[in-house]
Amino acid sequence: MHTSRTLTLARLPSGVPIRTTVHAYGEGRLVDGDDGPVLDAPGDGPVVYAQAAQHGREVNGTAVLRRLHDRLTGDAAEGSGTGDAERADGPSAADLDGTLVTVPVADPLTFDRASYTTPESLDSRQPNMNRCWPGDPEGSLHERMASRLWAFASEADAIVDLHTGSPSMATHTVYMRGDDACRGLAEAFGTDLLLAEAAGDDADTEWDERGFAGKLRVAATREGIPTITPELAHSKEIVPGAVKTGVAGTLGVLRREGLLGGEPDPWDGVVARNHLGRVIADDSGLFVPEPDLAVGDRVAAGERVGEVFDPTTFETLQVARADRDGIAYSVAREATVTAGATLVGVAERIGGE
């Protein structure tokens, strides 16, 4: 069974509603409540919540949920561009032993602007929606929007928050370090690289400086709901390979949570620590990475990863070197850099985790 409902997330100053669509597949269904749609699901069946486009320019997650919708409902629209030849043999909504809830566009404000954050005029307090979970029904626009979506997310047994990285970043999945259930969910999603992010007192100063405690993944994990954040390919462009990875990963999560039969594919990848190693530009100029350096490569402490030079005098201002052993999970591809910018992100491998 598949049902969908329009959900009003908040209202603009003019009174125009900010709306999105919620979908439910499987045993549960969406019904009309006093304040909008609510989920009616059997109490003994697992629920998985998946959303995309918290940051409006990150569109691959939305394409993942569309492809998944086509497979579960059999709606193979001509010219859809999904390229999914396996749809006819894939699972349908009737095969789900439980309920999948999806929100393809979590933040219409940023989606319409193809942006990462909202203009300050709309939400000066929380311009980034992924810093204010679980939200506040009487708060700013983003806080109210998060609160409306939290009503669905909080009913889940597992959450997949689909995001998109950048052309300079390796596809990976982030989970809260030390949480075995989140680690298992990340393995079920199946990206080769998993990044374990420390939280709270165990995190570095960036945690508080950037408001990471308000991420959906963190808020949900702290409420006992295993949650992961896959980062698929790059922004503003639907990348077929990223969509395929996202669909396969979400199906792996559905198998792990018991909505689909069978087990996720065995995982044999690398775990590294998130938000730790960075090679920083000492001065402004043009950055040229080493020609053979690619995202996902292993680097050693002290290894040359590129140089920054003065575009007017041609003087080498900095020979950039890795600050630790690890994996280059991001490499700046925009040549013009300012002092303090990240040139290469180095994820430190975690042994025994």
Side-chain angles (χ1 to χ4, degrees), residues 4-343:
S4 64
R5 291 288 188 278
T6 298
L7 174 67
T8 297
L9 298 169
R11 294 185 183 277
L12 294 172
S14 63
V16 173
I18 304 168
R19 295 191 178 106
T20 194
T21 302
V22 183
H23 299 260
Y25 308 85
E27 296 178 343
R29 60 181 184 142
L30 295 167
V31 297
D32 296 323
D34 293 338
D35 297 319
V38 296
L39 179 64
D40 178 19
D44 58 349
V47 176
V48 171
Y49 174 85
Q51 69 171 32
Q54 267 209 84
H55 302 131
R57 68 189 186 190
E58 301 179 7
V59 295
N60 280 300
T62 302
V64 166
L65 295 182
R66 184 198 186 197
R67 174 91 63 94
L68 196 62
H69 170 89
D70 286 351
R71 294 184 68 161
L72 292 175
T73 64
D75 291 339
E78 288 189 19
S80 67
T82 61
D84 191 0
E86 300 175 357
R87 183 185 298 109
D89 300 323
S92 71
D95 298 322
L96 297 180
D97 292 326
T99 304
L100 170 65
V101 178
T102 72
V103 179
V105 179
D107 187 351
L109 289 177
T110 56
F111 192 90
D112 287 346
R113 293 167 176 79
S115 63
Y116 188 77
T117 58
T118 62
E120 186 174 337
S121 59
L122 290 178
D123 197 330
S124 60
R125 188 163 67 188
Q126 295 288 1
N128 186 338
M129 185 177 180
N130 202 26
R131 298 294 185 270
C132 62
W133 292 86
D136 180 348
E138 298 181 356
S140 69
L141 276 181
H142 268 159
E143 290 170 335
R144 292 174 185 233
M145 293 163 63
S147 176
R148 292 290 282 166
L149 293 175
W150 182 253
F152 296 95
S154 62
E155 294 191 43
D157 298 289
I159 294 174
V160 179
D161 185 19
L162 293 163
H163 283 252
T164 294
S166 68
S168 61
M169 183 177 292
T171 294
H172 61 274
T173 302
V174 186
Y175 70 95
M176 187 177 289
R177 185 176 184 183
D179 190 297
D180 291 340
C182 292
R183 166 67 184 269
L185 203 65
E187 289 188 9
F189 196 86
T191 57
D192 291 336
L193 177 62
L194 306 184
L195 294 185
E197 183 176 85
D201 293 339
D202 296 327
D204 59 19
T205 57
E206 185 180 30
W207 175 271
D208 290 324
E209 292 171 354
R210 297 181 64 184
F212 286 171
K215 292 182 178 182
L216 170 59
R217 174 171 44 77
V218 175
T221 299
R222 286 177 166 171
E223 289 295 320
I225 308 170
T227 304
I228 57 173
T229 305
E231 297 275 2
L232 304 170
H234 53 85
S235 301
K236 296 185 178 181
E237 176 185 358
I238 294 177
V239 181
V243 177
K244 184 176 180 179
T245 296
V247 172
T250 306
L251 291 175
V253 167
L254 296 181
R255 293 187 180 96
R256 182 182 188 276
E257 294 302 310
L259 277 76
L260 289 175
E263 297 293 330
D265 292 336
W267 180 81
D268 183 22
V270 173
V271 181
R273 184 175 175 185
N274 197 21
H275 296 296
L276 184 62
R278 283 186 172 85
V279 181
I280 302 298
D282 294 338
D283 206 342
S284 302
L286 291 180
F287 173 61
V288 182
E290 290 298 286
D292 58 349
L293 179 65
V295 293
D297 285 353
R298 296 185 182 185
V299 295
E303 180 179 337
R304 178 177 172 132
V305 294
E307 70 170 345
V308 178
F309 71 91
D310 185 320
T312 61
T313 66
F314 315 126
E315 173 191 2
T316 296
L317 302 174
Q318 175 188 2
V319 174
R321 299 185 183 278
D323 63 339
R324 68 195 68 222
D325 296 343
I327 297 167
Y329 76 92
S330 69
V331 179
R333 295 302 177 190
E334 292 189 9
T336 304
V337 297
T338 55
T342 299
L343 305 177

